Amino acid sequence: MLERIVPSGELLFGSAHHFTQDRAGALKAGTLNIRIKDFVTWINDEAATKDLTGQSIPDDPHGPINTSRFRRTLAWHIARRPGGLVALAIQYGHMRTVLDARTSSGYGTRSRGGIHTVLDVESALAAADTAARLRDLLAAGERISGPAAQRALTAAAHVPRFEGRIVPRTFVHKARDYLARDGIVLFDNPDALLICAFKRDNALCEPDPGANSPRQYDCRSGCANTVRTDTHARLLRARADELGRLADRLPPPVGRRLRSNADRLRVAADTHDSSAQTAEAPR
Ligand code: SF4
């Protein structure tokens, strides 16, 4: 919705496009909190008017809904949608680099005990989910390929179960320990259609020296941390076909570029098909 409301290239929550007296910068936290309150009131009025009582928003026992309570939502986007299609994910996907610098940025320094903690927790949960999904795919007979396949198999075989989604304070240490296992933490990268078995020294996306996660939005082909499954190969071909169809409708120079991208994706899929092995096969 915000992408449609706000002109391309401008802040999604820019004051200029959200009917405030300020004409520059982003909406302030106080304004956003009032907007959230008004939005809840509007939903409840609509629900009452249309007799949709099941869709009203009840009072929250923890107090009003305000921006500080969305930290985990932001962390979810940062951890799970690197460079995703949603503008929020794109903005905060890049934001991760700033946050991972941890000591160098003003935001990082100021919020060290806040967003970093939540981000570590959400990243660990996302990485564990990725490893668990890979384990299930392998158990169902999918094959795996890529220079980091062996490390991914190790990660999938030792994935812990983080039951539920209520995160006690003590979980933060667990999450940090989990992420610190350089080389066997798996990051799903749905945009690049691969799993990244992140090992800092191998990473072509040039993460910061102390980073515990890759810069997924800058994923580069040929990286030694790459892992693919049969599902990725199928999706690579589907995306290549989609690009081909799009190329047919576009002017020749753009079309040529898309076709060459499509060829690159098919080569990656062929490479998988010719080198993939099952989890049981000797390596
Ligand atoms: S370049 Fe390598 S380390 Fe970086 S996201 Fe891609 S696969 Fe992972």
Side-chain angles (χ1 to χ4, degrees), residues 2 15 26 34 36 54 81 103-104 157 214 217 231 241 248 269 278-279 281:
L2 281 170
S15 300
I34 293 169
I36 293 167
R81 296 297 308 161
T103 50
S104 59
Y217 59 85
T231 299
D241 292 346
D248 292 339
T278 59

Side-chain angles (χ1 to χ4, degrees), residues 236-249:
L236 283 165
R237 290 207 169 83
R239 190 177 286 175
D241 292 346
E242 198 181 315
L243 288 179
R245 283 193 294 277
L246 197 59
D248 292 339
R249 301 201 299 270

Side-chain angles (χ1 to χ4, degrees), residues 36-195:
I36 293 167
K37 189 162 163 271
D38 291 348
F39 185 52
V40 171
T41 305
W42 177 79
I43 288 173
N44 287 342
D45 287 350
E46 286 291 302
T49 313
K50 298 190 166 59
D51 207 17
L52 298 168
T53 42
Q55 296 193 24
S56 60
I57 299 175
D59 283 343
D60 190 321
H62 299 289
I65 302 169
N66 54 38
T67 49
S68 64
R69 296 183 58 188
F70 285 101
R71 278 189 316 187
R72 196 148 171 227
T73 307
L74 291 183
W76 190 96
H77 277 278
I78 297 167
R80 292 170 194 262
R81 296 297 308 161
L85 296 175
V86 181
L88 184 70
I90 293 169
Q91 287 193 326
Y92 286 99
H94 287 73
M95 194 69 185
R96 164 162 233 151
T97 310
V98 179
L99 292 168
D100 272 353
R102 295 194 182 225
T103 50
S104 59
S105 78
Y107 185 62
T109 308
R110 202 172 53 227
S111 305
R112 196 181 175 85
I115 190 79
H116 286 144
T117 300
V118 185
L119 184 55
D120 286 340
V121 166
E122 210 52 55
S123 298
L125 291 174
D129 281 351
T130 301
R133 265 199 311 277
L134 179 62
R135 181 198 54 204
D136 293 347
L137 284 175
L138 295 169
E142 286 238 359
R143 297 170 311 147
I144 184 171
S145 74
Q150 189 57 54
R151 284 190 278 120
L153 288 173
T154 306
H158 295 101
V159 58
R161 284 193 184 277
F162 294 137
E163 300 291 356
R165 283 295 182 265
I166 295 182
V167 177
R169 202 171 277 276
T170 48
F171 186 78
V172 174
H173 301 293
K174 240 186 192 177
R176 287 191 179 141
D177 289 347
Y178 185 71
L179 293 173
R181 302 167 321 135
D182 191 39
I184 49 170
V185 182
L186 304 186
F187 292 85
D188 189 23
N189 194 336
D191 296 304
L193 294 174
L194 55 82
I195 291 172

Side-chain angles (χ1 to χ4, degrees), residues 190-269:
D191 296 304
L193 294 174
L194 55 82
I195 291 172
C196 168
F198 180 59
K199 193 172 176 40
R200 223 175 3 254
D201 290 347
N202 291 348
L204 293 186
C205 54
E206 300 177 5
D208 288 316
N212 60 10
S213 59
R215 302 193 326 146
Q216 283 153 285
Y217 59 85
D218 196 17
C219 188
R220 319 236 178 120
S221 66
C223 179
N225 290 340
T226 303
V227 178
R228 282 200 168 101
T229 62
D230 291 338
T231 299
H232 289 125
R234 258 194 320 278
L235 292 171
L236 283 165
R237 290 207 169 83
R239 190 177 286 175
D241 292 346
E242 198 181 315
L243 288 179
R245 283 193 294 277
L246 197 59
D248 292 339
R249 301 201 299 270
L250 291 170
V254 186
R256 270 199 298 280
R257 210 164 46 235
L258 288 189
R259 274 193 203 92
S260 123
N261 281 345
D263 290 344
R264 203 172 38 76
L265 298 179
R266 287 194 186 98
V267 168

